[in-house]
Amino acid sequence: MSGERTSAGDPAHTLALLWRGTGGGAAPGPRRGPRRALDVDAVVAAAVALADEQGLAGLSMRRLAERLGVGAMSLYTYVADRDELLDLVLDSAYAAMPRRDTTGLPWRERVAAVAEENRELYRAHPWAAEVSTLRPPLGPGQTAKYEHELAAFDGCGLDDVAVDDCLTHLLVFVRACARDAAAAREQRRDGDDEQWWAAAGPLLARVLDAARFPRAVRVGAAAGAAHGSAHDPEHAYEFGLQRLLDGLAALVEPAETAEPAETVEEPAAGSRRGR
């Protein structure tokens, strides 16, 4: 995980920008400086494209200014700093996520659809999996994402805290798988993985004592033959998702047959969460 995190800027100014034009907050007034040729939406769209191409390391105010054809200092008339920009960029990616209507489907299919939507998010924007959202961006994109994902657990008989716990567990799993998948894609592009195994495999065969490590040798060989590598991110995701759903079934299916659980009233609970 990189050191990047959301909600590291000034809360009042960042929230006003996040909710600009929605009626949910007043956008910051114009700052002093030359007449502005862009708007915040154009700045954010360019920043998303830059992050998609170059990752978070390439998302700097200087590079963004070059892409937009403006002076670096002029960007500060749109966003206060890079911390604020990161919140805007991630919330924009959340807002653009496809959201499947799973109304009426069994709960496992609804929850699996949420997992796949997040997986697609990280495929389109690999950098998003590297941003810590322990303090979420709290913008309209993140809020709509959370509202949509909670609906996957409607009718499951769980109280509000259990629903949030289940969703958190699911999204943490998908995020971890996304980081592994991104690393595997990078290694395949560079040829590092094949080269490493070509060099390390024969060396390992000479030193690895099958009598001392019988399980490691036997299981490792079987898994490598089955998956074509030491780790197959696609298989790990599919296998793990089914096991995760099996685990949630221990909560959901008994609760569906029990009396409806009381909801836990907690002010602004929905606004606290971000993934």
Side-chain angles (χ1 to χ4, degrees):
M1 172 71 70
S2 70
E4 305 281 3
R5 62 187 178 91
T6 53
S7 294
D10 175 67
H13 193 269
T14 302
L15 284 171
L17 275 181
L18 283 167
W19 290 91
R20 65 194 183 281
T22 66
R31 299 184 180 191
R32 292 183 180 181
R35 184 176 179 181
R36 308 201 302 178
L38 301 169
D39 58 25
V40 174
D41 291 341
V43 171
V44 172
V48 171
L50 185 59
D52 289 346
E53 293 171 14
Q54 302 184 22
L56 292 177
L59 181 61
S60 69
M61 299 295 274
R62 178 182 61 79
R63 290 181 182 176
L64 180 57
E66 290 173 355
R67 169 160 297 213
L68 290 167
V70 300
M73 292 306 296
S74 71
L75 283 183
Y76 295 100
T77 67
Y78 300 95
V79 294
D81 51 33
R82 187 178 178 282
D83 288 335
E84 188 168 86
L85 178 65
L86 185 59
D87 280 25
L88 293 166
V89 166
L90 186 60
D91 199 69
S92 175
Y94 286 165
M97 287 177 65
R99 297 187 175 99
R100 178 184 169 195
D101 182 5
T102 57
T103 305
L105 294 180
W107 74 266
R108 287 180 74 112
E109 291 185 42
R110 300 198 306 265
V111 174
V114 169
E116 189 58 32
E117 289 163 358
N118 279 270
R119 197 178 184 210
E120 288 298 324
L121 166 72
Y122 296 133
R123 282 175 178 155
H125 309 292
W127 51 268
E130 299 301 325
V131 182
S132 170
T133 56
L134 293 177
R135 289 195 308 197
L138 299 179
Q142 183 270 324
T143 304
K145 177 180 186 293
Y146 186 47
E147 177 74 16
H148 167 75
E149 291 168 350
L150 290 172
F153 295 91
D154 284 355
C156 287
L158 303 176
D159 65 40
D160 288 352
V161 173
V163 167
D164 187 81
D165 286 343
C166 290
L167 178 58
T168 299
H169 183 46
L170 176 75
L171 297 184
V172 167
F173 162 76
V174 176
R175 188 174 183 173
C177 287
R179 289 199 295 267
D180 278 352
R185 288 193 298 271
E186 190 69 27
Q187 287 181 347
R188 284 195 295 270
R189 278 195 297 268
D190 297 339
D192 289 347
D193 199 43
E194 292 181 5
Q195 293 173 13
W196 185 85
W197 277 111
L203 296 173
L204 182 63
R206 285 193 220 122
V207 299
L208 194 58
D209 184 354
R212 183 181 179 188
F213 306 109
R215 299 173 189 83
V217 171
R218 185 185 75 250
V219 175
H227 307 312
S229 66
H231 179 68
D232 177 4
E234 183 74 22
H235 171 78
Y237 171 80
E238 296 295 344
F239 178 86
L241 178 61
Q242 295 309 313
R243 303 298 78 74
L244 188 150
L245 293 172
D246 290 343
L248 294 185
L251 292 174
V252 172
E253 291 170 3
E256 284 181 319
T257 61
E259 292 294 322
E262 294 184 3
T263 58
V264 177
E265 297 293 336
E266 187 174 345
S271 66
R272 295 186 301 106
R273 279 296 193 186
R275 312 303 194 282

